[in-house]
């Protein structure tokens, strides 16, 4: 079930988040896609933006801030943030590797890939490296089944992976080159 | 080999408006808005025999004709681009490569339905595809295909793209609607059906990406022309996303009615099993459809050629058939372990159950646990029967079909590969070390 993660009330940002003027304009553009009185429909997309803007995860403050913008109750935001697997309710590493573990990817070696990355980074699934650079997660089918094994990092899909390619990928991210093709 | 949707997928720059238009893009909008009434468009879609490409195969024209049209109440067309069924990645290919085809289909279809505000709901993980679509939508506005009074016809349409947040269940149409309303993706009880009370309680049609794209050639060439392709009630072309142990996995547009044999082994398609291995099994329509052992993949139980059609893939029913489903074609080679794969899929459904109905929430969890036990050499014979029993408790006792989708494939795997499940019980240590492969008489390839 995707809805078991409780909201950990201890996870807070020290300051109240605030969108830049530019981001706020984007948020308003999205809200305007829905009829009057139905602004809540913009919630999921705004949460994606908020997560990206405020450190890669959703703190209580961030969620409360989104509730304020949409003029809804904070609980309506928590409900949604805890249901969908893409939202991080916890701090993560700078780069989150989400490796697809579902059948079609497994048939072409995702189990071995997950094991390899874990060894390489010296972490288990769900953990973050000590330097805060990488978090390793697994994901269910990401719609790249013919191009597996694969992983998602941020907006990017890395497909047709091999241990060598993943090693290169890790090095590339370490050196700040996030535009790597793979 | 005719291609109606992916005809231009290799044309450089086809994702841009200029190139798409030069290849004949947006003709269906011109034709529909200038020469046809909404009813005429509906009539062509009915004639085409097009069936929903999202998995259920419900006739699109019929679905459209159910849309309630109360005076003064806005109606909506929603495009289901949630694409999360394991094995399925065709919609992504279409949207990534030819975004304007979907937008064109949305305009023509919205016109037919009398929808003035339409949405494309895309899975959140496809965020870069959302960017591609939004860019194409902006181009369509700039060139007068969206907005007010399109082509002077008096028809207005606004089109928006909305992301999900990562949840397979949001592909179920009422969960999609909930999600689009900014809520958790819990499927709704039906009735009322979306056609009567959908998005914000308004009459709504939800269609798959590929179904909507198919409206473009149907309007351009006429429904009768479209219906000439295919066999029986499986008309037109179908996108198949092929994956697993294939020499050439990928997205193919097939004419309905080619043989499964040709699709797996043909030079134009998958070119056989990877690394020269043998075929062990196939799940032809996404993870929710029954698995077929190799001797039922290319032939039916009565020895007829199995065709890539709704009917032929289902030939033999639960006993010896499967389904075309979403077109997620998953192929297993001789080294693969059916128990492990069944467990993997069960884990998927347990993870994705929305948790509203106890039979599904608890049942998917139990199936995962029991299969995990079996796969790891800790199960016993009773577990195998227990699985069949859990099946019966979920089936038909839930709000949405996810419970069934989780249970049926397990039943099929046990039906066809019971020996393999038993081997996991009888060879605990060995089962940990290696896969069952093709060792039994029953499944050994000739
Ligand atoms: C659990 C579940 C997941 C589904 N996922 C999808 C999906 O990702 N994409 C899709 O088009 N239809 C999906 N469907 C089917 C939709 O509910 C709906 O039937 C379909 O979008 C209708 O469009 P069509 O008639 O054009 O096929 C799913 C159904 C269920 C029960
Ligand atoms: S069957 Fe499963 S996924 Fe569907 S509504 Fe019930 S609990 Fe949710
Ligand atoms: S199974 Fe990995 S992307 Fe679909």
């Amino acid at each position: 079930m995707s809805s078991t993660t409780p909201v950990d009330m201890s996870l807070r940002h020290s300051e109240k988040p605030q969108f830049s003027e530019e981001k706020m304009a984007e948020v308003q553009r999205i809200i305007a896609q829905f009829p009057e009185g139905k602004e809540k429909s913009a919630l999921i997309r705004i949460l994606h933006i908020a997560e990206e803007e405020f450190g890669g995860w959703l703190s209580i403050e961030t969620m409360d801030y989104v509730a304020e913008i949409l003029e809804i109750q904070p609980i309506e935001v928590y409900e949604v943030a805890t249901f969908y697997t893409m939202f991080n309710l916890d701090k993560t590493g700078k780069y989150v590797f989400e490796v697809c573990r579902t059948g079609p990817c497994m048939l072409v070696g995702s189990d071995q890939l997950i094991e390899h990355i874990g060894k390489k980074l010296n972490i288990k699934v769900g953990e973050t490296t000590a330097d805060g650079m990488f978090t390793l997660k697994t994901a269910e089918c990401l719609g790249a089944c013919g191009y597996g094994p694969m992983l998602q990092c941020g907006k990017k899909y890395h497909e047709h992976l091999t241990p060598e390619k993943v090693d290169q990928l890790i090095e590339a991210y370490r050196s700040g080159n996030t535009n790597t093709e793979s | 080999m005719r291609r109606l949707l992916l005809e231009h997928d290799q044309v450089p720059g086809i994702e841009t408006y200029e190139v798409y238009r030069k290849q004949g893009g947006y003709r269906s909008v011109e034709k529909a808005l200038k020469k046809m009434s909404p009813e005429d468009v509906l009539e062509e879609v009915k004639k085409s025999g097009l069936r929903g490409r999202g998995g259920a195969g419900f006739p699109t024209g019929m679905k459209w004709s159910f849309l309630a049209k109360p005076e003064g109440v806005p109606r909506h067309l929603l495009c289901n681009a949630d694409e999360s069924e394991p094995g399925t990645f065709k919609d992504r290919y279409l949207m990534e490569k030819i975004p304007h085809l979907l937008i064109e289909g949305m305009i023509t279809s919205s016109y037919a339905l009398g929808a003035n505000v339409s949405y494309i709901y895309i899975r959140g993980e496809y965020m870069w595809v959302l960017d591609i679509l939004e860019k194409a939508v902006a181009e369509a506005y700039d060139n007068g295909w969206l907005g007010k009074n399109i082509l002077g016809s008096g028809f207005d349409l606004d089109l928006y793209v909305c992301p999900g947040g990562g949840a397979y269940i949001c592909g179920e149409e009422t969960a999609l609607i909930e999600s689009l309303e900014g809520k958790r993706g819990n499927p709704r009880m039906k009735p009322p059906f979306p056609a009567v009370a959908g998005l914000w309680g308004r009459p709504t049609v939800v269609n798959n990406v590929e179904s909507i794209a198919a409206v473009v050639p149907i309007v351009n060439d006429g429904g009768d022309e479209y219906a000439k392709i295919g066999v029986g009630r499986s008309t037109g072309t179908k996108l198949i996303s092929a994956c697993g142990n294939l020499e050439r996995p990928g997205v193919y547009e097939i004419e309905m009615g080619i043989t499964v044999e040709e699709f797996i082994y043909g030079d134009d398609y998958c070119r056989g099993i990877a690394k020269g291995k043998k075929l062990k099994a196939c799940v032809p329509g996404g993870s929710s459809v029954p698995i077929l052992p190799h001797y039922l993949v290319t032939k039916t139980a009565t020895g007829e050629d199995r065709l890539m059609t709704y009917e032929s893939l289902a030939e033999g029913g639960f006993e010896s058939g499967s389904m075309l489903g979403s077109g997620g074609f998953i192929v297993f080679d001789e080294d693969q372990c059916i128990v492990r794969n069944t467990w993997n899929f069960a884990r998927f459904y347990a993870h994705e159950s929305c948790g509203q109905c106890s039979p599904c929430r608890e049942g998917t969890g139990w199936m995962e646990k029991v299969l995990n036990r079996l796969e790891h050499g800790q199960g016993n014979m009773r577990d195998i029967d227990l699985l069949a029993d859990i099946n019966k408790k979920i089936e038909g006792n839930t709000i949405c079909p996810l419970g069934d989708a989780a249970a049926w494939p397990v039943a099929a795997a046990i039906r066809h590969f019971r020996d393999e499940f038993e081997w996991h019980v009888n060879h605990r240590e060995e089962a940990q070390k290696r896969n069952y492969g093709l060792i039994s008489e029953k499944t050994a390839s000739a």
Side-chain angles (χ1 to χ4, degrees), chain B residues 120 224 367 415:
Chain B
I120 299 171
D224 288 334
M367 285 197 291
R415 187 177 320 119

Side-chain angles (χ1 to χ4, degrees), chain B residues 51-60 63 80-85 90-91 168-174 176 190 206-212 288 349 400-402 405:
Chain B
R51 290 164 68 181
R53 302 299 195 224
F58 193 81
T60 306
K63 182 184 236 179
N80 189 343
D82 192 57
E83 190 167 74
S84 317
E85 171 93 357
K90 65 185 177 78
D91 297 337
Y168 166 67
I169 191 58
C170 289
E172 194 281 332
E173 56 185 8
T174 59
L176 184 151
K190 295 189 236 183
V206 182
N207 271 132
N208 174 257
V209 171
E210 188 189 344
S211 314
I212 290 169
S288 307
Y349 290 105
C400 90
L402 184 139

Side-chain angles (χ1 to χ4, degrees), chain B residues 80-280:
Chain B
N80 189 343
D82 192 57
E83 190 167 74
S84 317
E85 171 93 357
T88 317
F89 49 103
K90 65 185 177 78
D91 297 337
R92 164 188 164 190
Y93 185 84
L94 192 152
M95 294 186 287
E96 229 182 331
K97 288 274 178 182
I98 325 179
H100 282 283
L101 180 63
L102 175 59
I103 294 166
E104 179 175 355
M106 285 298 283
I107 301 169
T108 306
S109 305
S110 297
Y111 173 71
L113 296 166
N116 300 114
V117 183
S118 298
Y119 297 93
I120 299 171
Y121 178 94
I122 186 166
R123 66 179 297 180
E125 293 90 342
Y126 286 178
M127 203 55 97
W128 86 96
V129 185
L130 178 143
D131 291 342
I132 293 171
L133 285 172
E134 281 202 331
K135 197 164 160 223
V137 166
E139 287 179 319
Y141 270 105
D142 288 346
N143 289 282
W145 302 100
L146 285 169
K148 292 255 173 288
N149 193 16
I150 301 167
L151 304 181
S153 65
F155 174 62
D156 305 336
L157 178 65
D158 283 314
L159 177 62
Y160 304 108
V161 193
C162 309
Y168 166 67
I169 191 58
C170 289
E172 194 281 332
E173 56 185 8
T174 59
L176 184 151
I177 290 170
E178 287 283 304
S179 182
L180 198 49
E181 292 182 0
K183 301 184 215 149
R184 298 165 77 97
N186 289 335
R188 295 177 180 171
M189 289 282 252
K190 295 189 236 183
F193 289 90
V196 174
L199 183 66
W200 306 310
R202 301 166 177 178
T204 302
V205 166
V206 182
N207 271 132
N208 174 257
V209 171
E210 188 189 344
S211 314
I212 290 169
V215 173
V216 173
I218 289 169
V219 168
N220 280 337
D221 308 333
D224 288 334
E225 227 10 69
Y226 186 87
K228 277 186 196 158
I229 306 171
V231 180
R233 289 181 58 239
S234 296
T235 60
T237 63
K238 174 86 190 83
L239 299 183
I240 304 289
S241 57
C243 59
N245 308 119
L246 286 163
E247 190 57 34
R248 202 170 61 152
V251 177
Y252 298 96
E253 181 170 7
I254 61 152
E255 283 184 39
M256 292 267 205
I258 66 165
T259 63
V260 174
E261 171 102 29
E262 185 183 357
F263 183 67
I264 296 180
Y265 297 99
D267 276 348
D268 292 333
Y269 306 103
C270 305
R271 297 189 184 164
I273 311 305
K275 300 180 186 142
K277 290 190 191 278
K278 290 187 195 123
L279 171 70
K280 177 172 179 179

